[in-house]
Amino acid sequence: HGARLDGVVGQNFSGRLSLLDALKFKDWEAVRAHTGMVACTVADDHGRLPLLLALTGGAPADVSLGILKANPQAAAKPDAYGNLPLHIAITRQLEIELIVALHKAHPKASEVRDEFNDLPLHLALKQTQPVERPEEVVEEAAPEPEVSPWWATAGSFVQALGAEQQGEATEQERGSGAAPITSLSQLLSATQETTNSDVANSTDNPDDVDPLGVWKLDVVRTLLNSNPHAALERSGNGKLTLHLATEARTAPEIMLVSLSLSLSLSLSLS
């Protein structure tokens, strides 16, 4: 019925599904066989590129990564509502390696707002419950882990800010225009080892580790490394990142990163 031989639509003479049809029917093995550059650049009748169909269709991470590798420009193509692939991947809590790859392919995505006027950072902080995958079998709902209030880490937070940001710098030093004692990149690096270990080792039982907390920490750090000023941006409903973090009962480790960056930026811009 007018099938083309390039694997873009219909079937070829071998009877294999085309890329778009394979994505439609979620035949991931057939998709893996069609992740060539040409096929990955052709949109369906609704203007959706294969990357978008893979992300919204629940494709395995390696499938989406293969399509992205064949057509990295697709990371900058929004859907009909203005959502970029990065927005979709974060909202669906897709694998961190996929989120990092999408961000690397289109770093400016961290500065783009979605259909609800939220930045990717806002979307990550808003995630409160793990997204259930269709293939996952949920036997019994696990009890919610106890989350320490963010203010419990106030002592660590003060230490992370450094002497100048604790108000010990003299007026002369402030008037000289010298760079803050702790740069944004240094702040992220300084908290990386401790926050990772705090999240992963908050319990002696590996089964009790909060996967969503670890995922959020990695996503937040990735986004803030690219766009630290997002820590001061308000979400679509007018809330700062700290508001979102507290409402979502975010782990103290993520609060430390967000709060440190927020105050560091405020001081550097004042």
Side-chain angles (χ1 to χ4, degrees), residues 101-119:
L102 288 168
H103 178 264
K104 184 177 180 180
H106 185 45
K108 287 290 185 181
S110 64
E111 304 173 15
V112 178
R113 295 179 180 269
D114 69 354
E115 62 178 308
F116 300 110
N117 205 32
D118 283 330
L119 291 171

Side-chain angles (χ1 to χ4, degrees), residues 156-167 169 174 178-192 228 256-257 259-269:
S156 301
F157 162 67
V158 171
Q159 294 177 5
L161 287 181
E164 179 180 3
Q165 293 170 336
Q166 292 177 45
R174 291 186 180 277
I181 191 171
T182 307
S183 68
L184 299 178
S185 59
Q186 288 173 329
L187 252 171
L188 285 171
S189 299
T191 57
Q192 180 169 354
L256 175 61
V257 175
L259 188 56
S260 299
L261 276 170
S262 296
L263 293 189
S264 180
L265 277 169
S266 297
L267 289 171
S268 65
L269 295 176

Side-chain angles (χ1 to χ4, degrees), residues 47-49 51-52 55-56 74-92 106 109 112-120 123:
R48 298 172 298 185
L49 287 173
L51 177 61
L52 181 63
L55 295 176
T56 57
K77 176 71 173 178
D79 64 12
Y81 304 99
N83 304 308
L84 289 172
L86 183 63
H87 295 131
I88 295 169
I90 292 175
T91 302
R92 292 174 176 264
H106 185 45
V112 178
R113 295 179 180 269
D114 69 354
E115 62 178 308
F116 300 110
N117 205 32
D118 283 330
L119 291 171
L123 297 177

